[in-house]
Amino acid sequence: MAAVGSAVGLGNIWRFPYICGKYGGGAFLIVYLLFVFLLGSVLMMSELVIGRRSRRTPISAYASLAPRRQRPLWIGFGVLCIITCFFILSQYLVLSGWTTGYVWHSVSGALASMGTDAGVIADFFRHFSTGGWSPVWFMVLFSILVLIVILGGVQKGVEMASKVLMPVLVLLILVLCVRSLTLPGSIRGVEYLFSPDFSKLTSEGILAALGQALFSLSVGMGVMVVYGSYLPADDRIFTTAMWITACDTLIALLAGLAVFPAVFSCGFDPAGGPGLVFCVLPNVFNTMGAAGAIFSVLFFLLLLVAALTSAISLLECLTACITDNGRLRRWQGAAIVFVLSTALGAVFTLSFSHLSGVKLAGLSLFDFIDRINSIYLPPLCALGTVLFFGWVMPEADIRAEFTNNGTVRLRLYGFIRFMARYVAPLALLVVIITGIGG
Ligand code: PFF
């Protein structure tokens, strides 16, 4: 449940619908599903296997399973995964801060009072995101919530929060789907999502589909290695990985069904980009009259819950890593990660306002980190992980993990191994090279 909570996040509800809208709806969906089930699930299994076999965090997990000569290399790789995790968390906090702000503005009635003028609502978002310290305080509030859960420990904090929050999330998204699908003209949104138009699918769209598959499943940054290290010995890794993958995909599809029918029904552009959730949806809610205000609160709460369980996994991973050698206590590790990631998150948030003049490689700080976090670091970590899993880790260890030391059978083992050794590394190489070239 905690791993599903990690996978289901802003990536499913905020990012999936807008990327899907941008690259042609159904056609993108088919490519995305192929990547998720053929590559993403293999990566998920690899990370869970590496975590459970080593019972360590990424910094030492890879090295502890590698031949002695290669250990320094794999320690370096573990550190790269952790750096990736830290950058992802810092960027994630920016969007989570906005989400927290939108929960507040929907509860206070500010969003509902703006009517249905698309320009006014888009201006509100612009004012809010460029509003200096105000979005930073919302982000700090969000980070404190995450810290409280982490301080509660793995079972009383992370596990409890996931067990309560995930069912709430499913309930909220179902309510929103029903509302969206019963709006007049909503069928056009369903058609858009499910009828493929391949002419709109560019090579950039295919790259975006792979990036989205990795991000959405939380693979390629060590989080699933840490969650794998907490898995009981009798859990079946194949089944667990397929459940996480299926639940994550289902929630992304439900998010699409909550967003697109409403967007079409109210006559908005489905390719509205990153602002789809923050600019278009408040408008959609405001066209629904008094009930719209309630749906608006429900929607942003849903987004907040999704962001919380994902941020918890990122903070947990980093906390576990820096407390792994036993020198720091859990609360000390968590506090250090909290301070550093919130500080960097504040810098990225301020790159929309006070720090908008600061550029790296011609990009604002947020756009720069967004590029690093989508094209470079996670695909690189994912590539290292499948190479390790397919070519470095002893095969006997992998078999033992998949079969729970020979007590269960896995018919697909040969197929998974083939994917991990050949198909996944090749696909990731293509993405990395194309990403760097582009
Ligand atoms: N999978 C999360 C989402 O879809 O929002 C984001 C995420 C969480 C990425 C944790 C990576 C991670 F390690």
Side-chain angles (χ1 to χ4, degrees):
M1 191 77 94
V4 173
S6 169
V8 174
L10 296 173
N12 302 60
I13 301 164
W14 163 74
R15 204 160 181 257
F16 174 77
Y18 95 71
I19 295 202
C20 191
K22 188 168 165 192
Y23 295 111
F28 175 88
L29 186 61
I30 292 177
V31 179
Y32 174 75
L33 290 178
L34 283 175
F35 281 143
V36 162
F37 282 98
L38 292 181
L39 291 181
S41 62
V42 171
L43 261 152
M44 173 84 66
M45 286 175 220
S46 312
E47 292 199 8
L48 292 177
V49 162
I50 292 166
R52 192 169 73 173
R53 191 70 192 167
S54 64
R55 296 275 182 215
R56 307 257 175 104
T57 64
I59 295 195
S60 52
Y62 295 91
S64 72
L65 299 169
R68 190 172 291 274
R69 277 177 302 123
Q70 294 186 17
R71 285 194 186 154
L73 171 75
W74 292 107
I75 290 190
F77 177 71
V79 172
L80 183 72
C81 291
I82 294 316
I83 293 175
T84 307
C85 189
F86 178 68
F87 282 152
I88 295 264
L89 175 60
S90 307
Q91 188 197 8
Y92 211 73
L93 287 179
V94 177
L95 291 148
S96 305
W98 290 353
T99 304
T100 314
Y102 265 61
V103 170
W104 168 251
H105 289 307
S106 58
V107 171
S108 75
L111 288 179
S113 69
M114 278 180 300
T116 52
D117 183 334
V120 173
I121 294 181
D123 270 351
F124 181 84
F125 178 63
R126 218 181 355 265
H127 267 109
F128 172 74
S129 55
T130 58
W133 287 95
S134 147
V136 175
W137 299 132
F138 283 115
M139 186 203 69
V140 173
L141 183 66
F142 177 87
S143 303
I144 292 174
L145 284 178
V146 177
L147 180 66
I148 291 172
V149 173
I150 296 297
L151 290 180
V154 174
Q155 282 180 335
K156 287 211 186 108
V158 178
E159 193 177 319
M160 276 283 286
S162 310
K163 277 188 179 160
V164 175
L165 293 178
M166 290 315 290
V168 171
L169 182 141
V170 172
L171 197 76
L172 287 176
I173 202 159
L174 285 176
V175 170
L176 286 163
C177 275
V178 170
R179 171 69 274 207
S180 182
L181 287 168
T182 49
L183 287 169
S186 59
I187 193 69
R188 292 201 348 265
V190 182
E191 279 167 10
Y192 180 78
L193 192 57
F194 292 115
S195 56
D197 173 3
F198 284 99
S199 67
K200 289 208 195 121
L201 188 70
T202 55
S203 61
E204 188 187 307
I206 296 176
L207 286 183
L210 183 58
Q212 173 65 11
L214 298 184
F215 183 78
S216 189
L217 291 175
S218 301
V219 290
M221 46 218 87
V223 166
M224 290 299 165
V225 174
V226 172
Y227 276 12
S229 76
Y230 300 153
L231 264 188
D234 58 353
D235 244 55
R236 295 186 184 192
I237 286 194
F238 176 78
T239 318
T240 303
M242 291 321 281
W243 264 109
I244 304 170
T245 309
C247 289
D248 184 64
T249 310
L250 189 71
I251 299 285
L253 287 176
L254 286 177
L257 283 177
V259 171
F260 286 121
V263 166
F264 273 89
S265 165
C266 299
F268 291 108
D269 179 10
L276 194 63
V277 156
F278 291 109
C279 300
V280 177
L281 282 190
N283 212 330
V284 170
F285 295 132
N286 288 352
T287 58
M288 295 178 190
I294 297 171
F295 285 111
S296 167
V297 174
L298 287 182
F299 179 80
F300 286 109
L301 267 180
L302 164 75
L303 211 56
L304 184 71
V305 169
L308 262 176
T309 48
S310 296
I312 286 170
S313 73
L314 289 159
L315 198 73
E316 172 63 34
C317 174
L318 291 162
T319 304
C321 284
I322 65 168
T323 53
D324 201 17
N325 61 14
R327 271 188 228 135
L328 289 177
R329 293 183 179 199
R330 187 176 166 87
W331 73 265
Q332 291 170 321
I336 292 174
V337 178
F338 164 80
V339 170
L340 293 179
S341 58
T342 310
L344 195 59
V347 169
F348 293 141
T349 305
L350 291 174
S351 75
F352 289 89
S353 51
H354 300 314
L355 299 177
S356 60
V358 182
K359 303 276 181 220
L360 276 179
L363 298 169
S364 77
L365 291 177
F366 183 88
D367 288 342
F368 181 76
I369 199 67
D370 186 50
R371 213 177 155 70
I372 301 273
N373 281 349
S374 51
I375 303 179
Y376 300 109
L377 288 181
L380 207 62
C381 293
L383 178 64
T385 300
V386 283
L387 287 177
F388 181 84
F389 182 78
W391 298 93
V392 178
M393 188 172 167
E395 205 198 335
D397 285 355
I398 300 180
R399 253 183 206 284
E401 284 305 318
F402 273 125
T403 59
N404 291 356
N405 293 317
T407 55
V408 293
R409 280 187 65 196
L410 178 60
R411 289 215 185 87
L412 286 174
Y413 177 78
F415 176 71
I416 295 167
R417 188 135 180 89
F418 175 76
M419 294 300 289
R421 277 168 86 91
Y422 304 104
V423 181
L426 262 176
L428 288 163
L429 258 181
V430 171
V431 175
I432 294 167
I433 292 170
T434 324
I436 292 173

